[in-house]
Structures are given as structure tokens and as C-alpha cells.
Amino acid sequence: MILQLEEDCLNVYRKKVEQTRKQKEDLIEELSFGESDIEKILSALGERESFSRVCELLYPFHAFLYVSFAYCMFLHMQVEKLGGTLLEQLAKVEPVLEDLRRRRDERVEEFMVVQAQIVRLHAEISGTIENGDPVPPLVDETNLSLRRLAEFKSQLKELQTEKVVHHL
């Protein structure tokens, strides 16, 4: 009877250990995905240098330092070593990721507006606007840099000037 009770307790313990291991594994994977997503979004926005701002949000005790990407990754490894539960680390990453996703979505919208205007002006200048509204090109979400947006805006300005000259 006692042997059976010990065996049952051991099975319950093993099950709990396995559940805890799986939960930890899931949290580590979610944290890794979040950090990877932060890196991808910053890269798409062309703002790798602003990763220091993200580091300030994640690691406010180092906010007074100019933080490069490499240094931020070093800090991240140190924070992992020094403490903070996985849930605490995840809680720090989530609001930063939400903010970056919002900024990415706003930038995509800016690109869509400018590109739609470019396509429309091309159609007006070439005389194909009567065929209905042209379909704007898809936005390349891997390069949403301000420099690229400025290039599109410059192209739009040139087309606007060309349209004015064309109608004179």
C-alpha cells in the first residue's frame, strides 16, 4: 500500500516536472520570438540604431548610456543571467513589440498612400485612368525605411510636376 502511494506521488511529481519544463520551454520560445520580431521590425523600419531606445525600455537602468545594438545584446544576455523571471522578461518585451508593430503598420499605411498616388498619377499621365482606378502595388514590408519613403515621395513630386507640365 505504501509502495503504491509512493509510486503515485512519484508519477504526480514527474508529471508536474514535465509540465513545468514544457511551460518554461514555451516561455523561452515566446521570448525568443518576441526579440526576433523586434529585430525584424526595426530592420524593416531602417531603424537598427534606434534599438538603443528599445534597450532603454527593456533595461531602464542603462538608459543613461548610448547603447549600440551589440551592447544591447550583451546587456540582454547579462539580464538573463542576473535575473528576472521569464514572465518578467516577456512582460518587458511585449509592450515594446506592440509599439513597434503599431509603428510598422503606420509606416505601411504611409507607403500605401504614396504608392497609390504614384500609380494614379502614372495612369493619369499615360491616359489609362479611364479604365478604372489602378491597383496600387503591394508594399514591400521588408524595407519600410524613411529613406525609401522619401524616395517614393520624391518620385511622387516629380510625377506631380510632370502632370502640371503635361497639362500646360
Side-chain angles (χ1 to χ4, degrees):
M1 174 80 164
I2 292 179
L3 194 57
Q4 179 62 37
L5 186 59
E6 284 180 1
E7 184 70 27
D8 290 345
C9 287
L10 189 57
N11 287 338
V12 168
Y13 175 76
R14 286 182 183 138
K15 186 176 177 181
K16 284 291 186 186
V17 166
E18 182 58 27
Q19 286 175 341
T20 303
R21 186 197 60 73
K22 177 72 172 124
Q23 287 174 337
K24 181 179 179 181
E25 201 174 274
D26 291 346
L27 286 173
I28 289 171
E29 184 178 328
E30 193 173 343
L31 182 62
S32 176
F33 174 76
E35 291 172 341
S36 171
D37 210 12
I38 287 172
E39 195 172 323
K40 286 176 190 170
I41 293 171
L42 285 173
S43 178
L45 293 173
E47 299 179 11
R48 298 288 260 143
E49 65 280 354
S50 72
F51 198 80
S52 60
R53 186 174 81 65
V54 174
C55 288
E56 290 173 13
L57 294 171
L58 293 174
Y59 315 111
F61 52 90
H62 288 289
F64 59 92
L65 296 174
Y66 171 77
V67 185
S68 68
F69 178 75
Y71 186 66
C72 185
M73 297 296 13
F74 170 76
L75 288 177
H76 170 71
M77 292 176 2
Q78 295 305 312
V79 169
E80 272 191 358
K81 288 179 191 173
L82 295 176
T85 66
L86 289 172
L87 285 174
E88 290 169 346
Q89 291 177 37
L90 194 55
K92 290 176 184 177
V93 167
E94 285 174 345
V96 172
L97 194 51
E98 285 177 26
D99 179 57
L100 287 173
R101 285 179 177 150
R102 179 190 52 76
R103 288 178 48 210
R104 177 194 58 204
D105 293 345
E106 289 171 357
R107 187 77 57 84
V108 166
E109 182 63 30
E110 282 183 83
F111 270 89
M112 286 184 0
V113 167
V114 171
Q115 286 179 302
Q117 290 175 346
I118 289 171
V119 169
R120 186 164 187 73
L121 278 173
H122 270 297
E124 286 176 12
I125 292 169
S126 66
T128 59
I129 194 69
E130 293 83 28
N131 300 341
D133 271 348
V135 179
L138 295 176
V139 175
D140 176 11
E141 292 191 29
T142 61
N143 185 358
L144 300 169
S145 68
L146 288 175
R147 189 183 83 176
R148 184 161 175 255
L149 183 60
E151 290 170 1
F152 276 119
K153 286 181 177 181
S154 174
Q155 182 182 358
L156 177 61
K157 208 163 202 48
E158 289 173 16
L159 285 171
Q160 289 168 335
T161 305
E162 183 181 335
K163 180 182 174 189
V164 169
V165 169
H166 219 65
H167 286 335
L168 290 179

